Amino acid sequence: MVYSKNHLLSSLKDTPFYDSRKFPKYSNNDILSQIIIRNLLGHFNQADQLALIDAPLLLKYINACSQPTLSRFFDRVTIKTNMYLKELVQKLGCDYVNTNVQDIILDVDSTKDITNGHQEGASYIFYYGINGYHSMTINEYNTKLLLSSNFRTGSAYSSNGFLNELKEVLSHLDRKGKTISFRGGSAFYNAEFLDYMNNEKIKYYV
């Protein structure tokens, strides 16, 4: 495949899935690669799978599956799958930052994922005025890269789980000869957080 040299896509071969199929026509890695390519093309819904099936140029390089096949793919995704992909994206993002950024600026923020109906873990988020999940992200300002995310319940406080996410990011960053700064809202004005950043010699703006 023409995209096999892409570092992200080629790294997917070790992604763990729960797969009891005997003779699959499409591997899980092939389907996952299709999802990534489709998203890069600006198509984010399962129904948009036709964007791949109906593209003559793309069909020269990928064996696009049907939308029902894509739907069944998500039945094979596990927590291990999600954790592997999170660490992979985190490592690739930090590798890029290590190579290209001298003064690293980490922006942390909570965000919303709107839900419809009664979804497990979702609740009313007063700050946003919606029902949904209250996720958290850490982005690097200069590159605009997502370095970490935490999918949380709707009732989670804005800074819940922050320190663990920050430690994960820092474990992948090459800090030798570089400065690291942190920016966050008032929810991150917390003695434990500030003490940790002082000890790690991280500048912070809250």
Side-chain angles (χ1 to χ4, degrees):
M1 292 185 181
V2 72
Y3 59 76
S4 61
K5 294 182 180 179
N6 180 280
H7 189 38
L8 172 59
L9 296 181
S10 63
S11 300
L12 299 177
K13 60 183 177 63
D14 296 322
T15 307
F17 292 91
Y18 175 75
D19 195 351
S20 60
R21 298 176 300 163
K22 299 297 183 182
F23 305 103
K25 181 178 179 180
Y26 305 94
S27 73
N28 293 310
N29 292 333
D30 281 343
I31 298 174
L32 183 56
S33 296
Q34 291 177 38
I35 295 172
I36 293 174
I37 292 171
R38 194 192 68 210
N39 287 351
L40 290 173
L41 292 173
H43 302 286
F44 305 108
N45 299 315
Q46 290 188 36
D48 294 332
Q49 186 68 8
L50 288 174
L52 297 183
I53 297 174
D54 294 339
L57 181 60
L58 288 176
L59 288 177
K60 290 184 178 181
Y61 306 110
I62 63 173
N63 186 18
C65 66
S66 65
Q67 189 274 326
T69 299
L70 179 66
S71 294
R72 291 190 292 271
F73 161 81
F74 290 100
D75 293 334
R76 301 189 291 274
V77 173
T78 68
I79 293 177
K80 288 184 178 179
T81 308
N82 290 330
M83 294 306 296
Y84 177 87
L85 293 175
K86 175 184 177 180
E87 185 173 355
L88 176 61
V89 171
Q90 192 173 71
K91 184 177 184 304
L92 291 176
C94 288
D95 284 349
Y96 184 88
V97 171
N98 288 336
T99 304
N100 296 279
V101 181
Q102 184 65 30
D103 298 315
I104 301 169
I105 302 175
L106 301 177
D107 285 326
V108 62
D109 202 359
S110 56
T111 186
K112 62 183 183 295
D113 298 291
I114 300 174
T115 59
N116 297 304
H118 301 284
Q119 304 294 328
E120 182 180 358
S123 64
Y124 187 77
I125 306 174
F126 287 93
Y127 181 80
Y128 295 110
I130 57 95
N131 286 301
Y133 300 107
H134 198 191
S135 301
M136 180 180 62
T137 63
I138 298 179
N139 299 279
E140 201 289 312
Y141 169 76
N142 299 285
T143 60
K144 313 304 180 190
L145 286 175
L146 174 68
L147 299 186
S148 189
S149 63
N150 188 357
F151 186 70
R152 307 179 299 185
T153 63
S155 60
Y157 184 61
S158 295
S159 61
N160 283 9
F162 159 67
L163 205 53
N164 287 335
E165 297 298 319
L166 177 62
K167 289 178 180 178
E168 285 184 12
V169 171
L170 292 177
S171 70
H172 292 294
L173 290 176
D174 179 11
R175 304 168 62 182
K176 186 176 180 179
K178 298 185 178 184
T179 62
I180 297 182
S181 302
F182 161 83
R183 300 192 302 193
S186 58
F188 300 91
Y189 189 77
N190 175 293
E192 181 185 7
F193 300 162
L194 301 185
D195 286 344
Y196 176 80
M197 285 183 277
N198 281 326
N199 291 334
E200 292 295 318
K201 295 180 172 54
I202 297 173
K203 298 179 181 179
Y204 53 86
Y205 306 90
V206 179

